[in-house]
Amino acid sequence: MFRFFACMIGLLVANASIAQTNINLGGITVDDTAAVEVAADNLSVDQHTGTAIFSGNVVIVQGEMKVSAANVEVSYAEATGSISRLVATGGVTFVTATEAAEAKNADYDLATGTLTLTGDVLLTQGLSAISSEKMVVNIADGSAVMEGRVRTVLQQGEN
């Protein structure tokens, strides 16, 4: 379920000379068989709309992956009852042992396989970093496009 978190953080390859940058994000994996633990100050479930809202200091942990946000709304598909969309707001942070990503908001649409990070997006891997206003990740192939004043710091050598 949270494999998409890992897909968004990977090997950073960027061309700072243009405002839109393609990057390869397919290098990281998460143990999606590991238990998922969610902690939050509050949980609200609406059976009518098929949503669950975790609010206040939300922390999601699976294996070595940790996600934190102020709020996370989970939408379920009516036909199957499986998760169809996750929307995290209020400052979102994804962390593994070697990578981190931050944004104001994250929207993962499982139906389209698209993860969209918006607002002060920052990805770091070792000493390298890339930032922009928006990042759209294609989960299937691990590719991404960053838009809106893309800036990079690419550290060469061992990190």
Side-chain angles (χ1 to χ4, degrees), residues 7 9-14 22-27 125 141-144:
C7 292
I9 306 168
L11 181 61
L12 300 177
V13 179
N22 290 318
I23 44 183
N24 175 5
L25 300 172
Q125 183 178 44
D141 65 12
S143 66

Side-chain angles (χ1 to χ4, degrees), residues 20-145:
Q20 183 169 311
T21 303
N22 290 318
I23 44 183
N24 175 5
L25 300 172
I28 303 300
T29 60
V30 168
D31 181 4
D32 61 356
T33 63
V36 177
E37 179 183 340
V38 181
D41 294 339
N42 303 292
L43 170 62
S44 173
V45 177
D46 186 337
Q47 298 292 340
H48 180 70
T49 62
T51 60
I53 299 174
F54 294 91
S55 61
N57 302 306
V58 180
V59 177
I60 302 168
V61 178
Q62 183 179 31
E64 293 184 11
M65 177 66 64
K66 180 179 177 181
V67 180
S68 60
N71 303 292
V72 176
E73 180 176 334
V74 180
S75 298
Y76 298 90
E78 187 176 328
T80 64
S82 61
I83 295 174
S84 62
R85 181 175 225 129
L86 294 165
V87 177
T89 59
V92 183
T93 304
F94 304 92
V95 179
T96 69
T98 57
E99 293 83 24
E102 299 176 9
K104 289 184 180 176
N105 305 296
D107 183 346
Y108 178 50
D109 185 335
L110 280 77
T112 63
T114 303
L115 172 65
T116 304
L117 301 175
T118 55
D120 300 326
V121 177
L122 174 64
L123 301 176
T124 59
Q125 183 178 44
L127 299 175
S128 296
I130 186 168
S131 65
S132 69
E133 282 304 307
K134 180 179 180 181
M135 176 175 157
V136 179
V137 180
N138 177 322
I139 300 305
D141 65 12
S143 66
V145 175

